[in-house]
Amino acid sequence: MLAADPARRVRAVENLYRLLLNKERVFPATAPAALVLARLLDDPRTLAEDRWERRAGRRSLRAELLNWLASFADIARLDVEDGVGTAQDLAAARAARPILHDRIADFCDADDPAVREAALTATALLLADPALASSAPRYAPAVREILAVSADSYYRLIARERLAAWGEDVTGLVAAEEERRAALDQAGKLAEDPFGGQEQEQAIRWLEEQPADTAAPERLGRRREGWAAPVPAASHEPAPELPVAAPGSEAGHRGPWRIAPAEERAEWTFTPYVGVGPLHFGMTLEEITRVLGEGPAVSSYSHHGEDRQLNYADFVESGINRLKKHRVVATRYEKLAVSYEATALVAAINESM
């Protein structure tokens, strides 16, 4: 955990989740490991910053260890019936909570915001222990003022849940979260509207200005229903069909399109409301031609007096087609499947919806 090699540190943290909190369970080694990690928190070597596989952005090892301890505390408050482990292992996890609280409490006032928020989250979850419940009034103001307005949606969720459990009024926090979601949903719809014009551009700019959600992509700990505003259900629209050989296609082709082998495929990252790979929504076709470094195999121009506007193009080498009119709105899934790893792209798109 304290290795000088950043790759070893990152791998060690990943193993904490993979081996000791796997599938939201505690094991015989989980509680002892939590106690050891809590002893490491004030080691200067935990100030080293890295990018961690289960968190967005850069943060110190100290902040990430506190995130793991928060996940540990989240699971420890569940029951054996929830499938979190044997009664003996769960009892050991719960018995560790007072000791962990004593070690973590000092970091709730840390100067580093990432450390402070992670420590407050872990502490709020540890206070589910009946022996620690009397300390809730001491932490409630910080949970409301710091955690409930965090850029991390998981921290905000824990803040609302814990404050409600402590008898605090969370009406305003729930309303603020609903307004946030509504604003993001509305801006997202405008950003995806190909005919939105100026409103589309304003929505894209607004979305780009919003702080990135730093919540872990895989949150440990099951949420209980009914305590406040439920999280809206995810969309269940079917994913686009994967490419298959069309009747009469030659080997390695889908209809007239050649399906490139994996070693020939580029890897493009989909960024919601921004673009795919080097292509950004709002680019003109001339800009796309320059970025791809490839002239269109098929194109069509319209003439406006002495000006000539490219309004349709196919880029065969890149596997992009149907780029038309004056601005890029989207790219056809079928053509992306020709040269790119389509399943990863579709997964990214589905996660953003």
Side-chain angles (χ1 to χ4, degrees), residues 99-164:
I99 303 173
L100 295 177
H101 171 263
D102 291 342
R103 294 291 300 173
I104 292 172
D106 291 341
F107 297 96
C108 291
D109 297 319
D111 293 332
D112 182 347
V115 170
R116 183 169 63 247
E117 290 186 353
L120 278 171
T121 303
T123 299
L125 290 165
L126 289 169
L127 294 182
D129 186 339
L132 301 172
S134 61
S135 297
R138 171 187 169 190
Y139 294 99
V143 169
R144 181 180 294 274
E145 296 167 11
I146 298 174
L147 217 55
V149 296
S150 170
D152 189 303
S153 58
Y154 174 68
Y155 291 165
R156 296 196 305 271
L157 175 65
I158 294 302
R160 298 193 303 274
E161 182 184 8
R162 290 289 82 204
L163 287 170

Side-chain angles (χ1 to χ4, degrees), residues 179-191 198-212 272-274:
E179 290 176 3
R180 181 198 299 261
R181 289 180 181 273
L184 289 172
D185 289 345
Q186 180 63 21
K189 291 177 182 177
L190 289 173
Q198 186 176 1
E199 287 187 343
Q200 181 192 41
E201 296 178 358
Q202 291 174 344
I204 292 173
R205 284 197 299 271
W206 184 82
L207 287 167
E208 291 175 341
E209 292 169 358
Q210 301 310 300
Y273 314 120
V274 177

Side-chain angles (χ1 to χ4, degrees), residues 216-248:
E218 297 178 13
R219 301 184 194 131
L220 293 172
R222 298 181 180 91
R223 303 273 65 77
R224 299 191 184 280
E225 296 291 337
W227 62 270
V231 177
S235 172
H236 294 291
E237 294 182 4
E241 295 181 5
L242 293 175
V244 296

Side-chain angles (χ1 to χ4, degrees), residues 34-346:
L35 295 171
V36 171
L37 294 177
R39 298 288 298 180
L40 297 180
L41 289 174
D42 54 6
D43 190 301
R45 288 171 289 183
T46 62
L47 297 177
E49 291 191 350
D50 286 296
R51 290 187 178 274
W52 312 97
E53 292 187 18
R54 296 180 184 243
R55 306 295 297 185
R58 290 182 62 86
R59 67 190 66 218
S60 67
L61 173 61
R62 179 175 295 171
E64 190 57 19
L65 292 181
L66 285 164
N67 280 324
W68 187 90
L69 289 168
S71 297
F72 169 85
D74 200 354
I75 294 174
R77 67 195 180 123
L78 302 178
D79 298 317
V80 173
E81 292 77 12
D82 296 315
V84 298
T86 67
Q88 182 177 359
D89 294 340
L90 184 58
R94 291 176 171 176
R97 290 188 292 193
I99 303 173
L100 295 177
H101 171 263
D102 291 342
R103 294 291 300 173
I104 292 172
D106 291 341
F107 297 96
C108 291
D109 297 319
D111 293 332
D112 182 347
V115 170
R116 183 169 63 247
E117 290 186 353
L120 278 171
T121 303
T123 299
L125 290 165
L126 289 169
L127 294 182
D129 186 339
L132 301 172
S134 61
S135 297
R138 171 187 169 190
Y139 294 99
V143 169
R144 181 180 294 274
E145 296 167 11
I146 298 174
L147 217 55
V149 296
S150 170
D152 189 303
S153 58
Y154 174 68
Y155 291 165
R156 296 196 305 271
L157 175 65
I158 294 302
R160 298 193 303 274
E161 182 184 8
R162 290 289 82 204
L163 287 170
W166 299 338
E168 297 268 337
D169 182 8
V170 296
T171 304
L173 297 179
V174 172
E177 190 69 20
E178 291 176 345
E179 290 176 3
R180 181 198 299 261
R181 289 180 181 273
L184 289 172
D185 289 345
Q186 180 63 21
K189 291 177 182 177
L190 289 173
E192 293 172 348
D193 182 2
F195 307 106
Q198 186 176 1
E199 287 187 343
Q200 181 192 41
E201 296 178 358
Q202 291 174 344
I204 292 173
R205 284 197 299 271
W206 184 82
L207 287 167
E208 291 175 341
E209 292 169 358
Q210 301 310 300
D213 188 353
T214 56
E218 297 178 13
R219 301 184 194 131
L220 293 172
R222 298 181 180 91
R223 303 273 65 77
R224 299 191 184 280
E225 296 291 337
W227 62 270
V231 177
S235 172
H236 294 291
E237 294 182 4
E241 295 181 5
L242 293 175
V244 296
S249 298
E250 298 180 10
H253 285 65
R254 182 177 188 265
W257 308 114
R258 174 178 176 268
I259 301 177
E263 60 271 16
E264 293 182 15
R265 300 178 189 174
E267 294 184 2
W268 284 6
T269 300
F270 172 74
T271 304
Y273 314 120
V274 177
V276 183
L279 304 183
H280 293 176
F281 298 119
M283 292 175 69
T284 64
L285 289 170
E286 287 81 359
E287 291 172 332
I288 292 172
T289 299
R290 290 195 296 271
V291 168
L292 294 179
E294 171 193 354
V298 179
S299 60
S300 172
Y301 290 85
S302 59
H303 295 269
H304 305 279
E306 297 181 356
D307 296 330
R308 188 176 72 155
Q309 172 70 51
L310 178 64
N311 55 26
Y312 175 93
D314 280 0
F315 297 88
V316 175
E317 293 181 13
S318 301
I320 304 296
N321 84 325
R322 301 301 178 190
L323 300 183
K324 53 187 176 180
K325 297 189 178 177
H326 301 298
R327 293 187 178 275
V328 177
V329 175
T331 49
R332 279 186 62 195
Y333 167 80
E334 292 86 350
K335 279 294 296 184
L336 284 175
V338 174
S339 301
Y340 300 97
E341 199 63 60
T343 53
L345 176 62
V346 171

